[in-house]
Every structure is written in structure tokens, then in C-alpha cells.
Amino acid sequence: MKYFLVLLLSAFAISASAKENISIVYAWTAADGPANYSRSLVESANKIQDKYTFIFDTKPGAGGSVAANYIKNNPNSAVLASASAFFIRPNFFPNESHDLNGFKELYLQCTAPMAITAMKYKTWADVPKDKPLTIGVSGLGTTTHLFATQIQRQYPLLTVVPFKSTSESLLSVASGNTDLHVAFLGEVETWGADNPKYGKLTVLGISGLEKVRGFPTLASQGFGKTVGDIKVPFHLTVAANMPDEKAAEIRKILLKAGEAASVKETYRPDACLPGTLDDSNLIPWYRAQVEQWKRLSTGVKLQ
């Protein structure tokens, strides 16, 4: 009888101390530089509290919609780590994407510029307008795809080639299979010096209206106003039906975890500016993003 009571008490103790698992699901592949934002956030969050065990996971595919729909189907145990593609994809593929009404904002991590890079070309003057060209993007209906369509306006023979991530697209341009690549600056940092096998990745221009690390903007090189408006917010969302109290609790933990120097260091390679979004601005910011990316997508034809 005594032995049975010991086992029973032990079972209660284990049950009481068991932590709930919460997955932070990155919408592209783990090899991407921005995946480190979530990976480091998970490590930091697990160090500062003992109620939840945060787990880093990836579910690439369909321009981020595979991950988004996973979160919708697991509303109490998963958080989506995505970017502006989350708001863009439904504009182009409404029947094969996710419903933006089914989510709510949790945490704006940082905002980064995008770059057009090449191995074959050093300046836009070297890029031919009278020959077929290819540009790699991280899926159809994504920010990289939207960005690439702005380049097509100046290079009508340019064909978009979709990959599952920017890292896969990078390997394609490095090996000579595609001509141009839509990148984050961390990839440029990694490939900024001559690589014995491939060569050197060159930045032809970046999004936004200001130079970053000396790289010229595409807007200043005649690629139109839209490229100046495109900056990529990396952010976390949860299913709309996650209880507000639980979402607020998880948000509080992640905000504190995000203050760690180890987390902020992951933003540096991409020149991703840390976000500042207080509780009262979560809903307005989300709505503003929906409208902004809908506006930027209007009139764009995906080939």
C-alpha cells in the first residue's frame, strides 16, 4: 500500500511539473538565415520561464500557406513565424492559401530590406534586356515574387523561377542555373567574398528608400515607387481562436525573450530593424499590413 501511494504521489508530481509544448513554426526551410530569428527566440524563451516548452519547427510550402494552415488547425499549441508573404499570398491565390481573418498578430520581430543579387553581373548595365533571363524567388505569391515582378517591368524577358526558400534560390544562382536572385542581406554577407567554387555574389540594388551598408536602392536606379515601399516585416501570429489570455501570456514571454542579445544578433546579418509594437497597436498594425500588401499586389500579374 505504501509503495502504491509513493507511485501515485510521484505521478501527481510529474503531472504538475509537465510543461505545455508550443511550436513556433517557420514558414520556410530551416537553412534560411531568418529561420535563426525564431530558433534563437525559442532558446531564449525556454531559459526565462518553466510553464511552456517552446519548440522550433518548419513547414515550408505554398508560399507560407502550409505553415499558416497548420497553425489554424492547431490553435492552442502553435505560433506562426512568417513575413510579409503571409499577407501577400492570399491576394494571388485566394483558394489555395489561408484566410487572413483566421489569425491575430502576436509579435513584430523586425523589418528588413530585400536585395536583387547576381553572380554573372556586376551592375544593371551588364544585365541584357534583349535576352531571356531568370530570377529565383522563395515561392509563388510571396514578397520575393512580388519584388521580382517589379524587375520584370524593366526586363520583360525575365522569367520567375519559384523555390521553397531564398536559400534554395541562392544555390541556384550560385551554380549558374538562374541569373538573378531575390535575397536577404545575410546571404550577401555569407557570399560577399569570392567563393572558391562559385565566385562572388553581387548586390544590384535593394528595396526601400535608403542605402544600407552602401548598397544602392532600386528606386534610385529607376525601378519605380513600389520597390521603395517593399520592406519585409518578420512577425509572429496565432490562430484567431487561441484564447486571448493565452495569446497575451505567450506574447509577454516572447517579448521578454526577444530582448536577449543573442536574439537581436540574429537580426544583424539581414539589417533587420527590431520592431516596436505595443499591445494597443497589434490589431491596427495587422489591418494596415493587410491593406498595404493588397494595394501593392493590385494590378500585378504573376506569370
Side-chain angles (χ1 to χ4, degrees):
M1 181 67 178
K2 182 177 181 180
Y3 179 67
F4 174 76
L5 288 174
V6 170
L7 288 177
L8 187 62
L9 289 172
S10 297
F12 279 129
I14 292 173
S15 176
S17 63
K19 294 191 287 185
E20 181 180 350
N21 290 340
I22 300 290
S23 295
I24 295 186
V25 183
Y26 181 64
W28 290 274
T29 65
D32 288 357
N36 291 325
Y37 306 169
S38 299
R39 190 181 285 111
S40 63
L41 188 66
V42 162
E43 292 175 359
S44 180
N46 287 332
K47 289 178 181 178
I48 64 173
Q49 53 80 49
D50 57 9
K51 180 172 182 177
Y52 298 103
T53 295
F54 289 92
I55 301 168
F56 173 72
D57 195 6
T58 63
K59 294 194 179 298
S65 284
V66 169
N69 285 320
Y70 176 84
I71 269 63
K72 188 176 180 180
N73 292 329
N74 296 272
N76 290 310
S77 61
V79 174
L80 176 65
S82 189
S84 41
F86 170 80
F87 299 106
I88 297 171
R89 170 85 183 184
N91 294 326
F92 296 116
F93 302 99
N95 298 323
E96 299 86 17
S97 299
H98 49 277
D99 181 2
L100 292 174
N101 293 318
F103 299 84
K104 56 189 175 186
E105 191 63 28
L106 191 70
Y107 177 23
L108 172 61
Q109 292 176 283
C110 61
T111 302
M114 303 210 75
I116 302 295
T117 67
M119 285 283 188
K120 300 177 182 179
Y121 311 111
K122 302 304 178 186
T123 69
W124 284 110
D126 301 327
V127 183
K129 290 189 175 182
D130 58 349
K131 295 181 181 179
L133 296 167
T134 52
I135 184 168
V137 303
S138 59
L140 298 178
T142 62
T143 319
T144 58
H145 192 181
L146 179 63
F147 196 31
T149 63
Q150 304 308 305
I151 308 304
Q152 283 180 314
R153 295 184 177 186
Q154 299 289 337
Y155 291 83
L157 299 182
L158 181 65
T159 298
V160 171
V161 181
F163 294 86
K164 287 185 178 180
S165 66
T166 57
S167 55
E168 288 186 6
S169 174
L170 170 62
L171 291 177
S172 179
V173 77
S175 59
N177 292 323
T178 45
D179 300 302
L180 304 174
H181 165 54
V182 183
F184 291 107
L185 292 179
E187 295 166 345
V188 176
E189 183 177 86
T190 302
W191 293 72
D194 284 326
N195 183 292
K197 183 176 180 181
Y198 299 111
K200 183 177 180 179
L201 192 67
T202 298
V203 175
L204 299 177
I206 64 170
S207 68
L209 297 174
E210 297 179 356
K211 286 185 177 181
V212 176
R213 297 176 187 162
F215 298 129
T217 65
L218 289 163
S220 69
Q221 298 178 78
F223 282 90
K225 181 180 181 298
T226 299
V227 294
D229 293 335
I230 294 177
K231 297 289 281 291
V232 182
F234 287 91
H235 62 115
L236 305 180
T237 55
V238 294
N241 58 341
M242 174 184 276
D244 289 341
E245 183 177 344
K246 183 172 186 178
E249 183 179 40
I250 292 172
R251 169 175 160 79
K252 184 177 180 180
I253 292 169
L254 295 181
L255 282 174
K256 185 176 180 180
E259 294 174 357
S262 58
V263 176
K264 292 182 178 179
E265 172 57 23
T266 63
Y267 304 158
R268 183 197 57 77
D270 297 319
C272 203
L273 185 66
T276 53
L277 196 62
D278 61 33
D279 293 354
S280 64
N281 285 324
L282 289 175
I283 293 175
W285 183 85
Y286 188 94
R287 289 175 177 169
Q289 290 296 305
V290 171
E291 292 304 315
Q292 175 184 336
W293 295 106
K294 183 177 181 179
R295 173 178 59 81
L296 293 176
S297 302
T298 300
V300 175
K301 295 182 179 181
L302 302 183
Q303 296 180 347

